[in-house]
Amino acid sequence: MDHPTLRLADLDEEAVLARLLPVLLHDEAPGVPVGPGDDAAVVEAPSGSVVATTDSMVLGVDWRDDWSSPQDVGHKLVVQNVADVAAMGARPTGLLLALSADPDTPVDWVLGLAEGVAAAAHESATPVLGGDLSGAAAGSVVLAMTVLGDLGGRAPVRRSGARVGDVVAVCGTLGRSGAGLRLYLDAELAAAADREAPEAAHRLRSSHRRPHCPWQSGAEAARAGASAMLDVSDGLVRDAGRLARASGVSVDLDGDALRAETHGDLLDVLGADAALREVLGGGEEHALLACFAGASRLPTTGAPWRVVGRVVERSGAPVLLDGVPHEVAGWDHFAG
């Protein structure tokens, strides 16, 4: 006999938290004198300053339950926030999770979300500090996360510091998450990929559901003297354009270097032209994009950095590809 699904509405808030908190709070939290349980947590700030970022995810906009498990959703939420802290050259020191959900949401889904958050938080050495839980309209699930970070006594690496003559380098992958999204959206492409390159297609879908940020590389880039940095959340060209506009320069991307990024799964599944489009425009990748005084200044430890362009005088277009103005829409929440 099937048992009815336990819903949030079947429990009071204390009972939900009694199930949720042990999943989220299994790690020791050095640097957190006061953790969850009081009205607020207390986090040490050894450098005397705190980096703070927040991001949200909405069911049906940022994920679909027919694609993503709750563990996938929790993982992605942590990564997109930790990436913003890393892009400032900081080390993440704590995260706060807020969940607003339809009371009919299954409790098992919420616990799965907590498992994904806890696993990704552990991977990025970021303790969970607490958060908030509330109800929402029928069919709605809205997540919000705030992540704090510490600069270790260094100045923040901002978008506005790129200088003419700098090299532009990337750490992490490009295009894989966007390609995974295309496989979910395009049934014809997915059928061909699953027939001709099933393992590559599986890896690309996984990259969309669970992107990766080389979070330790942000602080390494800061120590190496990065002049500007951000994470690639909305597509390489869109985010390089943000950096260029903030710095009053143009970024000239190297076509050969970016075509080299398409080798492997992207090329096997999409072909050369479509693979390059994803490298240029695919979002939710969370690689780090940074500028350095020269190739010899790139960090030599941790995840590898690859030169993909250079900073040039502002030429009217913020982003060039081999000297030619280039526009790729990338992701925009309101332009679609």
Side-chain angles (χ1 to χ4, degrees):
M1 179 178 178
D2 292 337
H3 295 285
T5 299
L6 186 67
R7 307 165 303 148
L8 291 176
D10 298 322
L11 303 172
D12 62 20
E13 183 175 348
E14 284 73 20
V16 174
L17 290 174
R19 294 170 182 245
L20 190 60
L21 290 178
V23 180
L24 288 169
L25 307 178
H26 63 270
D27 284 338
E28 293 293 324
V32 183
V34 179
D38 276 84
D39 290 316
V42 177
V43 184
E44 294 176 354
S47 71
S49 60
V50 176
V51 175
T53 188
T54 190
D55 214 336
S56 61
M57 292 177 64
V58 179
L59 174 62
V61 176
D62 298 289
W63 86 88
R64 283 172 41 173
D65 283 339
D66 54 332
W67 298 345
S68 298
S69 70
Q71 290 84 356
D72 293 334
V73 177
H75 174 99
K76 181 180 283 192
L77 183 63
V78 173
V79 168
Q80 68 187 32
N81 279 277
V82 166
D84 286 336
V85 170
M88 299 297 290
R91 173 183 63 85
T93 55
L95 65 84
L96 297 151
L97 170 67
L99 166 65
S100 299
D102 177 352
D104 281 334
T105 302
V107 172
D108 282 348
W109 190 93
V110 175
L111 295 178
L113 171 76
E115 290 170 359
V117 167
H122 178 74
E123 288 175 11
S124 59
T126 311
V128 178
L129 304 176
D132 184 53
L133 179 65
S134 68
S140 298
V141 180
V142 180
L143 308 172
M145 180 168 284
T146 296
V147 174
L148 308 177
D150 186 77
L151 289 162
R154 297 177 300 274
V157 183
R158 304 180 62 183
R159 301 178 180 186
S160 56
R163 299 179 292 264
V164 173
D166 284 354
V167 299
V168 180
V170 67
C171 183
T173 58
L174 293 172
R176 297 180 63 85
S177 177
L181 178 60
R182 285 195 61 187
L183 287 170
Y184 281 117
L185 294 173
D186 188 332
E188 185 176 347
L189 173 65
D194 289 337
R195 183 176 59 252
E196 298 169 11
E199 293 183 1
H202 172 74
R203 286 190 291 267
L204 292 176
R205 289 188 181 99
S206 296
S207 293
H208 176 68
R209 297 194 315 272
R210 297 195 181 200
H212 172 72
C213 172
W215 64 273
Q216 292 171 308
S217 298
E220 292 171 355
R223 285 192 288 269
S227 58
M229 184 161 51
L230 46 60
D231 79 299
V232 181
S233 56
D234 296 327
L236 175 63
V237 171
R238 179 176 286 273
D239 287 319
R242 290 168 172 154
L243 184 151
R245 284 188 289 271
S247 298
V249 298
S250 290
V251 169
D252 190 4
L253 298 172
D254 183 326
D256 287 340
L258 294 177
R259 278 184 283 274
E261 298 287 326
T262 69
H263 292 170
D265 292 345
L266 285 174
L267 198 59
D268 292 344
V269 168
L270 299 180
D273 291 343
L276 182 59
R277 283 196 295 273
E278 289 302 333
V279 165
L280 290 167
E284 292 190 312
E285 197 75 28
H286 303 299
L288 297 176
L289 184 72
C291 301
F292 299 88
S296 63
R297 299 293 300 274
L298 269 60
T300 57
T301 59
W305 289 82
R306 292 98 61 201
V307 174
V308 295
R310 60 195 178 98
V311 178
V312 297
E313 295 279 357
R314 185 63 183 266
S315 62
V319 179
L320 314 172
L321 180 62
D322 293 330
V324 178
H326 189 81
E327 290 189 17
V328 172
W331 173 252
D332 185 294
H333 274 284
F334 301 108

